[in-house]
Amino acid sequence: MDDVENIGTKILEIFAERQNYDEKYNDLMFSFVTDAYKLVDLSEDLYQIEHTIKLNQISLKDYILNSEICAFLKNNNINNYSIEDLKKFMQRYEYENISDITSYKLALELYEKLDEIKNVENAKIDYEINQMSNILKDVRNVKSVSKDKYRDLYDHLLQQIKVKYLDQNLIDNKMNNCIIQILNDIFNYYLYGNKEVPIEVN
């Protein structure tokens, strides 16, 4: 991996794949936020968009569980069901009761979309760690060190890049910036979890 051409090609390859993940993530997040605002209107403000994926999922779950369809299931002693089961119940309920449950179907879609968004971000970080471990052997330690040691590990990795690659002229400043952006992805994820949902603050 110390060959100048190999290291450069490898970094660009990881960076390009990182951009693919980001593009997919941004498309899904844009779609989520757009539809979430629709749900705010449809639910007459009962559902409000939250700043984190986790809080949105809690809020959406709460909104769905308080729906007439879930009340109907509860009254019929049906308490354990999957999302797929609920989708089928909704279709049948809407047909049999001629009831408009559009907002609850949308809430369920949004809940699943958040899972998809989380999966894309998690997969991106796994990919970055796996690939970067070929270049910086200690990068995997981010999974096991305590949070108060993140800064030390981060600085140690930057020093590794400098001594092993920059000082040897195996990478240029552009490549170095690419590596730092990838490291920032990894460390921000382990420090703060999934990225926040970009919503406008009134």
Side-chain angles (χ1 to χ4, degrees), residues 10-12 14-16 18 124-125 128-129 132 176-187:
K10 188 66 190 166
I11 292 164
L12 290 177
I14 299 167
F15 200 74
R18 170 190 187 260
K124 172 190 163 184
I125 300 301
E128 287 178 332
I129 290 173
M132 287 302 291
N176 187 44
N177 286 336
C178 288
I179 294 177
I180 288 170
Q181 284 183 56
I182 293 164
L183 283 182
N184 288 345
D185 281 348
I186 295 166
F187 277 84

Side-chain angles (χ1 to χ4, degrees), residues 99-152:
S99 179
D100 183 12
I101 53 170
T102 308
S103 65
Y104 300 112
K105 288 198 291 187
L106 179 57
L108 203 53
E109 281 172 29
L110 288 171
Y111 187 91
E112 288 189 297
K113 192 163 281 177
L114 286 171
D115 268 342
E116 209 180 332
I117 290 168
K118 266 196 305 192
N119 290 341
V120 169
E121 190 174 3
N122 297 350
K124 172 190 163 184
I125 300 301
D126 282 344
Y127 170 80
E128 287 178 332
I129 290 173
N130 289 335
Q131 296 301 315
M132 287 302 291
S133 65
N134 296 319
I135 296 166
L136 298 166
K137 61 182 171 64
D138 296 330
V139 76
R140 285 188 188 278
N141 293 351
V142 72
K143 294 181 175 186
S144 53
V145 298
S146 56
K147 279 193 176 184
D148 61 330
K149 299 287 182 199
Y150 280 159
R151 185 78 236 182
D152 293 342

Side-chain angles (χ1 to χ4, degrees), residues 22 39 42 61 75 90 99 109-110 121 140 149 158 163 168-170 179 183 186 192 199:
D22 283 347
L39 183 58
L42 278 172
K61 189 175 180 181
N75 290 337
M90 279 182 172
S99 179
E109 281 172 29
L110 288 171
E121 190 174 3
R140 285 188 188 278
K149 299 287 182 199
L158 290 185
V163 172
Q168 308 297 322
N169 291 319
L170 291 173
I179 294 177
L183 283 182
I186 295 166
Y192 308 113
I199 57 171

